[in-house]
Amino acid sequence: MTTKKHILLGISGGIAAYKSCELVRLLKKQGHEVSVAMSRAATEFVSPLTFQALSGHPVLADTHSGESGGNGMAHINLTRTADVFVIAPASANTLAKIAGGIADNLLTNLAAARKCPLAAAPAMNVEMWFNPANQRNIARLQADGISIFPPASGEQACGETGVGRMPEAAELADLIPDLWTPKILAGKKVLITTGATFEAIDPVRGITNISSGQMGTALARACRAAGAEVTLIYGQIQTALPPGMAENVHALSAQAMHEAVHHRIHTQDIFISVAAIADYKVRNSSTQKLKKSADSTPPVIELAENPDILASVAALPDAPFCIGFAAESHNVLEHARAKRLKKSIPMLVANEVSIAMGSSRNQVTIIDAYGDTPLPEMSKHDTAAAIVQHLSTLLHQA
């Protein structure tokens, strides 16, 4: 299901150009075709030969002809064959020229003559980023339909600290596919829980499970790509948090997750409960590490029931569209159908524990009022995309 595209990567002058080497590698790893165009200043930071080796294509730069399609019109031909044009890094100078319609070098000519969508990842000093003229240029570019990947905050090459760092290559490789993903959830606010909760027995021990958080983070990415504003509440996870979230909230215990969800749920359109939440917490947890007793008598652990987050959200008078997950070890569909009805939710995703938990792949069945929709085993990335597509269909039917 992953879409392969031809990406034209423009590189303007700046120390962040070194990050674009890794970006080319990651985009190629995803299966995309990558062509590179460089400004004259960019070639002072990284050699065109480096990008030629990484991309597998000749590099077009201001300082040599490269591949122009045989008619000398490289600034036109490149954007005719590309699905998307991404400038990363994009200097303040390059952004200003594009915003003003100036076309006096290769990158600005490509931007002016393009037929494909354009996105930019700004990289500059913090004072340059907040300069009023630069902020006006950013606003103008966005008003013209150009996507901007906001810069990150941190230590900069000049020694100052603040906003202006180009996002890391892995983040851009994660975000770039959003450019061509249909915005079937545009305008929606989605809250997702993911990962395993942890119920403390003492300061170092607790009750948890083997959920990695991969399915929930994949769904967060899929909803973001579909145009939604996503809030992610996570427990213990063994995967990177996706970029581009409206908010990331760490909630380790079931009670903390319950509070985090209900603090935000009234502004949400959709709630997707993916987290593997402990059914029980420890009633008699210790504030000190439990030690072995002299007679080796094990401590008695008393359990109390945790709040049912999904059921409590579904029962709200203004409840959002709720989606639950059911990870079962046996009688998967039977238990999942019963869970959907018990919690009074419109959609539930069922999977088998042995396939889903801790794995990068999944095989699910979507259960709703219209029946069961089994999906083949595939990556959690593709599973998430299929779930979001099904969700969009149900929302339109409603």
Side-chain angles (χ1 to χ4, degrees):
M1 292 178 64
T2 302
T3 304
K4 311 302 182 185
K5 297 291 185 179
H6 179 194
I7 299 169
L8 173 59
L9 179 62
I11 302 169
S12 64
I15 187 61
Y18 80 91
K19 292 184 178 181
S20 300
C21 298
E22 176 67 1
L23 178 58
V24 173
R25 190 189 70 82
L26 291 174
L27 293 173
K28 291 280 289 183
K29 187 176 180 181
Q30 290 177 0
H32 304 299
E33 181 183 356
V34 182
S35 298
V36 177
M38 303 177 71
S39 70
R40 180 180 291 108
T43 64
E44 299 296 322
F45 290 92
V46 182
S47 165
L49 188 59
T50 300
F51 286 106
Q52 178 173 321
L54 290 168
S55 68
H57 293 293
V59 173
L60 193 70
D62 282 350
T63 52
H64 69 86
S65 60
E67 292 292 325
S68 62
N71 62 358
M73 297 291 180
H75 65 289
I76 294 176
N77 295 333
L78 279 173
T79 62
R80 299 300 184 267
T81 59
D83 294 298
V84 65
F85 180 22
V86 179
I87 303 178
S91 67
N93 185 52
T94 297
L95 294 172
K97 288 181 177 181
I98 296 173
I102 297 172
D104 64 349
N105 63 29
L106 176 62
L107 296 188
T108 55
N109 269 279
L110 286 167
R114 68 187 170 87
K115 281 194 172 180
C116 61
L118 173 61
M124 63 194 72
N125 168 268
V126 57
E127 300 299 336
M128 295 174 70
W129 172 251
F130 286 113
N131 181 281
N134 183 66
Q135 290 298 305
R136 287 197 300 272
N137 291 333
I138 295 295
R140 169 65 66 84
L141 293 168
Q142 292 175 317
D144 289 345
I146 296 172
S147 299
I148 300 294
F149 297 122
S153 180
E155 185 177 350
Q156 301 183 326
C158 60
E160 296 186 21
T161 300
V163 178
R165 288 172 56 92
M166 186 176 107
E168 297 302 318
E171 293 185 11
L172 287 176
D174 191 323
L175 291 166
I176 286 172
D178 292 9
L179 296 172
W180 58 76
T181 302
K183 302 301 181 243
I184 55 179
L185 294 184
K188 299 296 185 183
K189 292 185 176 181
V190 181
L191 191 152
I192 300 174
T193 63
T194 192
T197 57
F198 181 91
E199 305 300 332
I201 295 172
D202 63 21
V204 297
R205 305 180 182 93
I207 299 172
T208 187
N209 57 71
I210 62 172
S211 173
S212 65
Q214 292 182 66
M215 191 68 247
T217 54
L219 272 164
R221 288 182 171 92
C223 290
R224 180 203 68 205
E229 179 183 304
V230 183
T231 296
L232 184 64
I233 300 177
Y234 63 99
Q236 292 190 141
I237 59 174
Q238 286 81 51
T239 187
L241 290 171
M245 299 293 100
E247 187 180 15
N248 287 318
V249 182
H250 190 209
L252 192 55
S253 69
Q255 183 61 44
M257 190 169 285
H258 180 273
E259 293 171 3
V261 167
H262 279 275
H263 182 68
R264 295 164 176 82
I265 198 64
H266 296 290
T267 62
Q268 304 298 312
D269 301 299
I270 300 163
F271 176 52
I272 308 179
S273 179
V274 192
I277 300 167
D279 292 327
Y280 298 95
K281 60 185 175 183
V282 180
R283 188 195 302 273
N284 59 335
S285 60
S286 173
T287 58
Q288 298 181 343
K289 181 181 176 182
L290 297 175
K291 308 294 289 184
K292 286 185 178 179
S293 60
D295 59 1
S296 297
T297 302
V300 176
I301 298 175
E302 300 176 3
L303 300 179
E305 192 170 349
N306 267 322
D308 189 322
I309 299 175
L310 177 57
S312 66
V313 171
L316 293 172
D318 55 347
F321 188 98
C322 291
I323 302 173
F325 269 68
E328 305 289 348
S329 60
H330 63 286
N331 298 334
V332 175
L333 295 182
E334 179 183 342
H335 289 312
R337 293 187 192 109
K339 180 177 181 178
R340 187 184 78 85
L341 295 175
K342 180 181 179 181
K343 296 182 187 291
S344 298
I345 57 175
M347 178 175 162
L348 187 137
V349 181
N351 51 213
E352 190 173 328
V353 171
S354 61
I355 298 176
M357 298 287 271
S359 171
S360 62
R361 299 183 66 78
N362 207 348
Q363 191 279 309
V364 307
T365 298
I366 300 174
I367 301 171
D368 55 38
Y370 301 95
D372 300 349
T373 304
L375 300 179
E377 182 179 339
M378 50 189 168
S379 71
K380 286 183 174 176
H381 169 86
D382 288 339
T383 301
I387 291 171
V388 168
Q389 182 62 58
H390 193 97
L391 163 63
S392 174
T393 300
L394 289 183
L395 289 175
H396 282 91
Q397 289 174 342

